[in-house]
Amino acid sequence: FGLSNKFDTEFPSVLTGKVAPEEFKTSISRVNACLRKNLPVNVKWLFCGCLCCCCTLGCSLWPVVCLNKRTRRSIQKLLEWENNRLYHKLGLHWKLSKRKCETSNMMEYVILIEFLPKYPIFRPD
């Protein structure tokens, strides 16, 4: 379903001077812990759903779709919490985004880190 089993904890060079490497690693570790908790359950349901797919006319795959959606929502909530806690104050915004894989036509979810524009608060209207 395009969701990784873990995200890379290597500190990107574009964030140097914007955020501490320890904060970045802590945030990614929280996301990876969420994935580590939810993905084994999704795989078990996917295996069971594939076995029963012919008998149920595909309805046995609905639990997998719902669990995957729940996992995505929990990661999005976690990223929003991280944004409110720290990253919006630093002028950054983290979000989960779907994009096309470079090696195939499949879609994957990635974490995008966007730079928020700075608003001039001292400029007159």
Side-chain angles (χ1 to χ4, degrees):
F1 294 97
L3 206 55
S4 299
N5 58 349
K6 74 175 194 170
F7 289 101
D8 190 16
T9 57
E10 185 180 327
F11 187 71
S13 61
V14 292
L15 293 180
T16 303
K18 299 282 185 191
V19 65
E22 298 82 22
E23 287 291 340
F24 175 82
K25 190 168 186 166
T26 302
S27 298
I28 292 293
S29 296
R30 285 187 182 120
V31 172
N32 286 340
C34 181
L35 287 171
R36 203 172 25 255
K37 182 179 79 171
N38 291 323
L39 284 182
V41 176
N42 293 9
V43 171
K44 289 175 188 174
W45 276 102
L46 180 62
F47 182 70
C48 292
C50 288
L51 287 176
C52 303
C53 188
C54 295
C55 301
T56 62
L57 301 173
C59 292
S60 59
L61 293 175
W62 272 108
V64 179
V65 172
C66 293
L67 286 171
N68 187 45
K69 192 173 187 178
R70 187 176 78 179
T71 302
R72 277 195 330 265
R73 281 190 182 150
S74 65
I75 291 172
Q76 288 169 341
K77 282 184 179 182
L78 177 64
L79 290 176
E80 194 57 40
W81 179 78
E82 289 284 345
N83 283 329
N84 290 331
R85 181 184 70 88
L86 175 69
Y87 294 109
H88 281 173
K89 296 171 190 168
L90 300 174
L92 300 171
H93 180 77
W94 288 37
K95 70 177 184 176
L96 193 65
S97 178
K98 189 190 278 190
R99 78 170 175 194
K100 199 172 192 174
C101 290
E102 296 172 359
T103 57
S104 66
N105 281 339
M106 296 179 71
M107 299 296 278
E108 67 178 347
Y109 284 94
V110 295
I111 294 178
L112 288 180
I113 303 173
E114 299 173 334
F115 294 96
L116 296 176
K118 293 184 180 182
Y119 296 107
I121 57 172
F122 296 114
R123 211 160 107 201
D125 291 337

